Amino acid sequence: MNATHREIHFENYVVDRLAASGWFIGDTRHYDTERALYPDDLVAWLEATQPDKWAKLCKDYPDDPRGALMDRLAKVLEKDGTVHALRRGFSIAGCGHIDLSEA
């Protein structure tokens, strides 16, 4: 097969165009394949937008606040779907409601 017709060329083109439009390109080494999420992005979002919730989560789940957050979100995504989770957020025991978007 001719090298010019490989999918990687198309993939690189799409990624380059998204990056040129301001999209952030993730590092796959930080991707949680089990949950299909970028934990660092979620924690950074929570720390920046709802620091009190992150502090409470760290207090209530001292051994693994990130894991507790990711596990709960994964369940919500599986049950309700991405759009629902983004629009309505989710609750986590002891921490209350977590927003995943801003109005």
Side-chain angles (χ1 to χ4, degrees), residues 37-92:
L37 297 167
Y38 278 99
D40 293 344
D41 291 349
L42 179 60
V43 170
W45 162 260
L46 195 56
E47 288 177 321
T49 64
Q50 301 155 85
D52 55 325
K53 301 286 175 88
W54 178 246
K56 180 85 167 112
L57 198 60
C58 290
K59 181 180 174 234
D60 291 350
Y61 299 89
D63 293 334
D64 189 14
R66 176 188 297 247
L69 178 67
M70 298 302 294
D71 287 344
R72 180 65 182 124
L73 177 56
K75 288 178 185 175
V76 169
L77 290 170
E78 186 174 318
K79 179 181 175 276
D80 299 325
T82 303
V83 173
H84 184 274
L86 287 172
R87 285 184 179 163
R88 301 200 177 154
F90 64 97
S91 294
I92 187 166

Side-chain angles (χ1 to χ4, degrees), residues 18-53:
L18 289 170
S21 297
W23 285 74
F24 176 73
I25 307 303
D27 183 341
T28 57
R29 292 175 295 173
H30 303 289
Y31 185 69
D32 182 335
T33 57
E34 182 180 321
R35 297 179 186 104
L37 297 167
Y38 278 99
D40 293 344
D41 291 349
L42 179 60
V43 170
W45 162 260
L46 195 56
E47 288 177 321
T49 64
Q50 301 155 85
D52 55 325
K53 301 286 175 88

